Amino acid sequence: QVQLVESGGGLVQAGDSLSLSCADSRRTFSSYAMGWFRQAPGKEREFVAAISWSGGITYYADSVKGRFTISRDNAKNTVYLQAISLKPEDTAVYYCAAKSGVVSTTPLAYNYWGQGTQVTVSS
């Protein structure tokens, strides 16, 4: 059973930075591709960033490219999402997700999900 626990969300002002973490206690974490997704009220869950099991391949949504960075530390079973220059439209619940095999930008490809962490960006 994969258990993903996100942390680091909160209330920030536009232009601020924030770092999210997602920890998985399973030893097989290093074999999973990881993704970050977000869901704003009344909207569908959307892709934010993804990283391959080795960290060698990363993908970003156009809306966050250049502002968000995904990384992982397989020794700590943790994936990170660092965000700078936050905008009010970044306000959402942020979820991390895991999947076996190749990295994907599609939410339906991910088998395991965390509970989410709220990020609110005030203008």
Side-chain angles (χ1 to χ4, degrees):
Q1 184 80 21
V2 176
Q3 292 185 332
L4 305 175
V5 179
E6 303 97 337
S7 62
L11 173 63
V12 298
Q13 294 185 335
D16 283 352
S17 301
L18 198 66
S19 183
L20 304 181
S21 300
C22 174
D24 175 15
S25 60
R26 283 178 29 120
R27 291 179 297 170
T28 54
F29 170 82
S30 61
S31 66
Y32 283 81
M34 301 296 296
W36 284 98
F37 298 83
R38 67 187 182 186
Q39 188 166 18
K43 295 187 177 181
E44 293 187 354
R45 191 167 298 188
E46 65 173 3
F47 167 72
V48 176
I51 189 167
S52 63
W53 66 270
S54 67
I57 299 172
T58 56
Y59 295 111
Y60 295 93
D62 288 343
S63 59
V64 306
K65 202 171 293 183
R67 299 188 299 120
F68 288 19
T69 302
I70 188 170
S71 61
R72 67 189 297 161
D73 185 338
N74 286 342
K76 295 182 178 180
N77 283 14
T78 302
V79 62
Y80 305 95
L81 185 69
Q82 294 180 302
I84 64 171
S85 302
L86 283 161
K87 305 175 182 180
E89 50 264 44
D90 294 319
T91 295
V93 177
Y94 283 71
Y95 299 89
C96 71
K99 68 177 297 293
S100 57
V102 297
V103 62
S104 173
T105 63
T106 305
L108 290 177
Y110 287 77
N111 308 102
Y112 308 102
W113 292 83
Q115 292 299 306
T117 185
Q118 176 72 46
V119 172
T120 303
V121 184
S122 64
S123 58

